[in-house]
Amino acid sequence: MYMKLETTTISTEKLKGRFYTPEFIVDNILDLSGYHGQTILRKHAIDNSCGDGAFLVAIVNRYCIEFLKYCSDLQSLSEELSNYIHGIEIEEIEHRKCIENLNRTVEQYGLNYVKWDVICADALSVDKYNGKMDFVLGNPPYVRVHNLGNSFDNIKKFSFSKNGMTDLYIVFYEIGLKMLNLSGTLGYITPSSFFNSLAGKYMRSYLVQNNLIDKIVDLKHFQAFTATTYTTITILKNNRKIKTTEYFQFENKNNFPYYVDTLSVDDYYIGNNFYFADRKSLNELNTILSFRVKKDYFAVKNGFATLADSFFIGNFDFDEFTIPVVKASTGKKYKCIFPYSQGKLVPYQELTEELKIKEYYENCKGLLLNRSLERNGDWYGFGRTQGINDVYRCKYSINALIKTPFDLKLIKCDKGVGVYSGLYILTEAKETELREMLFSEDFISYVSLLGKYKNGGYYTFSSKELKNYLEYKYVQRKGFINGQYAIS
């Protein structure tokens, strides 16, 4: 749980990061972290964002079961639970629920009282556990930094947030690692966005440099929580002797991770990002992402960003200063107000010489002014200049949200046709070649390996990632000799 902010316009989940953890996820994390068997006795375990106690209840249950296998002294059990089980929760109500849940848990083992070391505090400011924990286990809060209010100042002191805008869960990785002793283990379920986000860049580097990543379980499209959040179970260990990572995928039929492969850092750390799959697939992905050509055969760009599509795109009763436009995400065609000539914004007086256009602009001036315009942008033009200079070039629009080859919408756009809501491709390659490369299981496999999950089993990809794939496949198809291309 996290942060009660002074607003009613943002959901509870966004404000507090309150996503309760299913029991099967808790059990998987404890098992993968090694929190089971006799070895957990007299080992310090903490959940530093414990909420109402999902993890702590499971931890206490396991501890009691193992203790009572060897000893029936309930007073000693009570003392050990007080000494070795720890928690932090910022919200008083959740903290109280946690204590109540823990008390109910130990009652079934005959305990009437435990002096719980579960404190009501902000984990960002707690350091008394640093360097002392054998296990840090939990489900950190998922809160965007811009929703943290006054607590943002506390974020700045953490190294994992040095890239600016970040998610609070990334900071909790740093908090958890600081709590571990020299041989401690951290087990979290968090968003998988740190695999490739700018916010996670420093964290990725730190984990690799310190050989901390022991296991990864990618839940992929399976959503363990009610929110549309794509998650991973990450197990980190201090003082690891081996330099490989065990990779698992999640079997949602049985709610259990199954082993896929053992990976080296070179397998999954590609271009400063994390990608997880079997070694063979990662090797091919690495080849594509690192592929470079001396001559570019493709340019892939983002379409128009008007920042006011409802104004610029529609069915108008005037034709001057309009062009046909394709919505790349759907492949549908519309009409677009295009206040540009040779890539430059037409003077407003010239643009509005026709009364219908002037009235249309004046009636919607407030809407257009209320945008985050590009520097030096004028209120009556597009919000961004991307895509404008290529209007009078032949191109292909393409959607960037797919699940199967049948979801692709590749539309040939003649000179004078614009593209918005997606990407477009500039190339001299034949349309048949383009279609053969894209409408294939190879492309779907490539996109899925990028790991950018979307609702409904879909994936997305960037202009750079599409370009890399096309360049690689095109050179491969043509069988160009080594002198005509280079692989970096």
Side-chain angles (χ1 to χ4, degrees):
M1 310 315 115
Y2 210 76
M3 298 300 152
K4 187 172 182 180
L5 307 185
E6 295 180 359
T7 177
T8 58
T9 59
I10 306 174
S11 70
T12 297
E13 288 79 7
K14 287 185 177 180
L15 288 175
K16 304 175 184 178
R18 181 181 293 169
F19 298 105
Y20 294 104
T21 315
E23 186 175 342
F24 66 87
I25 292 292
V26 175
D27 286 335
N28 283 326
I29 292 175
L30 268 56
D31 290 340
L32 290 162
S33 301
Y35 196 84
H36 53 77
Q38 187 181 3
T39 58
I40 70 174
L41 297 178
R42 298 192 177 184
K43 294 291 176 65
H44 291 279
I46 189 170
D47 181 349
N48 52 34
S49 180
C50 62
D52 66 357
F55 277 87
L56 290 182
V57 164
I59 289 168
V60 166
N61 261 320
R62 292 190 179 202
Y63 199 100
C64 290
I65 290 169
E66 293 303 323
F67 181 94
L68 293 172
K69 285 179 181 179
Y70 305 98
C71 180
S72 59
D73 185 348
L74 294 182
Q75 179 61 34
S76 294
L77 175 57
S78 176
E79 290 174 0
E80 289 197 14
L81 292 173
S82 298
N83 291 330
Y84 293 104
I85 309 301
H86 316 275
I88 305 173
E89 171 53 39
I90 192 169
E91 288 193 358
E92 291 184 9
I93 294 176
E94 294 299 305
H95 174 261
R96 186 166 59 251
K97 287 181 183 177
C98 180
I99 299 296
E100 291 170 355
N101 288 334
L102 291 176
N103 286 336
R104 279 195 293 268
T105 299
V106 297
E107 283 176 3
Q108 62 185 317
Y109 300 103
L111 287 175
N112 296 319
Y113 175 76
V114 174
K115 186 180 179 181
W116 297 109
D117 181 31
V118 179
I119 63 175
C120 187
D122 185 345
L124 295 172
S125 304
V126 176
D127 58 12
K128 72 174 187 174
Y129 301 107
N130 287 2
K132 299 176 182 178
M133 296 295 106
D134 296 286
F135 295 92
V136 176
L137 306 163
N139 172 13
Y142 312 165
V143 188
R144 292 291 289 166
V145 162
H146 61 258
N147 289 329
L148 289 179
N150 295 331
S151 294
F152 179 67
D153 290 338
N154 289 333
I155 297 295
K156 295 178 182 177
K157 65 184 180 182
F158 291 95
S159 297
F160 284 8
S161 64
K162 64 167 45 178
N163 286 323
M165 188 63 71
T166 189
D167 288 282
L168 188 59
Y169 80 86
I170 290 178
V171 173
F172 265 75
Y173 272 102
E174 185 171 346
I175 292 171
L177 288 171
K178 286 182 177 180
M179 289 180 172
L180 291 181
N181 60 28
L182 294 178
S183 59
T185 300
L186 179 150
Y188 278 169
I189 181 168
T190 68
S192 56
S193 57
F194 77 87
F195 288 174
N196 49 39
S197 68
L198 178 61
K201 182 178 180 180
Y202 181 82
M203 174 179 156
R204 292 191 296 273
S205 175
Y206 183 89
L207 297 182
V208 166
Q209 289 175 12
N210 291 277
N211 188 34
L212 291 170
I213 308 176
D214 190 61
K215 300 180 183 73
I216 290 287
V217 182
D218 190 354
L219 276 69
K220 295 198 168 189
H221 281 105
F222 176 74
Q223 293 172 3
F225 305 98
T226 54
T228 306
T229 304
Y230 303 99
T231 53
T232 181
I233 294 172
T234 304
I235 310 299
L236 308 178
K237 283 189 178 181
N238 277 336
N239 197 28
R240 290 196 326 135
K241 303 303 180 184
I242 60 172
K243 295 190 176 182
T244 55
T245 296
E246 292 184 356
Y247 171 61
F248 301 76
Q249 290 181 2
F250 200 74
E251 174 54 67
N252 57 4
K253 291 182 180 179
N254 300 315
N255 292 332
F256 192 78
Y258 66 91
Y259 171 80
V260 176
D261 212 338
T262 298
L263 308 173
S264 70
V265 170
D266 291 338
D267 291 325
Y268 64 81
Y269 192 40
I270 305 171
N272 297 321
N273 290 332
F274 287 166
Y275 302 92
F276 291 99
D278 61 89
R279 282 181 131 179
K280 181 180 178 181
S281 298
L282 289 174
N283 183 58
E284 183 171 358
L285 178 67
N286 193 1
T287 300
I288 295 174
L289 291 178
S290 60
F291 189 74
R292 299 293 180 270
V293 289
K294 292 181 179 179
K295 173 187 175 182
D296 287 329
Y297 297 99
F298 300 88
V300 182
K301 302 182 182 181
N302 290 293
F304 294 159
T306 70
L307 305 190
D309 287 352
S310 61
F311 172 85
F312 285 100
I313 297 164
N315 297 310
F316 309 107
D317 57 357
F318 52 84
D319 293 321
E320 195 171 0
F321 292 109
T322 67
I323 60 170
V325 67
V326 172
K327 186 174 184 178
S329 59
T330 64
K332 294 182 179 180
K333 298 179 181 179
Y334 300 94
K335 188 187 274 189
C336 176
I337 295 175
F338 191 69
Y340 297 90
S341 177
Q342 297 181 340
K344 294 183 178 180
L345 196 59
V346 173
Y348 185 68
Q349 186 174 358
E350 179 182 341
L351 174 67
T352 57
E353 283 182 357
E354 185 176 328
L355 182 59
K356 288 183 178 179
I357 298 178
K358 184 174 183 178
E359 289 178 346
Y360 186 65
Y361 261 99
E362 293 299 324
N363 288 337
C364 299
K365 188 172 183 178
L367 168 69
L368 299 178
L369 286 169
N370 191 29
R371 295 179 294 165
S372 176
L373 295 174
E374 202 168 51
R375 181 175 293 185
N376 300 323
D378 211 326
W379 71 272
Y380 63 93
F382 291 176
R384 305 286 183 268
T385 57
Q386 64 190 49
I388 290 172
N389 290 328
D390 293 323
V391 165
Y392 294 99
R393 299 178 66 183
C394 291
K395 55 195 152 302
Y396 297 88
S397 70
I398 185 170
N399 56 314
L401 186 67
I402 61 172
K403 180 164 43 174
T404 72
F406 301 104
D407 299 312
L408 272 173
K409 301 171 183 66
L410 186 71
I411 308 295
K412 185 175 183 179
C413 303
D414 294 327
K415 295 178 181 179
V417 178
V419 176
Y420 81 107
S421 187
L423 306 175
Y424 63 91
I425 303 166
L426 297 167
T427 183
E428 294 181 2
K430 297 177 181 178
E431 183 176 354
T432 53
E433 294 175 313
L434 198 56
R435 289 187 174 276
E436 286 174 7
M437 289 186 288
L438 292 174
F439 288 81
S440 66
E441 290 299 331
D442 278 355
F443 183 58
I444 298 301
S445 175
Y446 167 73
V447 170
S448 68
L449 287 171
L450 296 174
K452 296 181 176 180
Y453 308 116
K454 293 295 181 181
N455 200 24
Y458 285 82
Y459 301 91
T460 189
F461 51 88
S462 70
S463 57
K464 182 179 179 181
E465 290 160 346
L466 177 56
K467 173 181 165 56
N468 268 78
Y469 175 84
L470 290 172
E471 298 285 12
Y472 175 76
K473 287 296 182 180
Y474 190 69
V475 167
Q476 192 180 56
R477 286 170 61 88
K478 294 296 184 182
F480 291 159
I481 59 174
N482 289 335
Q484 289 181 272
Y485 68 91
I487 301 178
S488 60

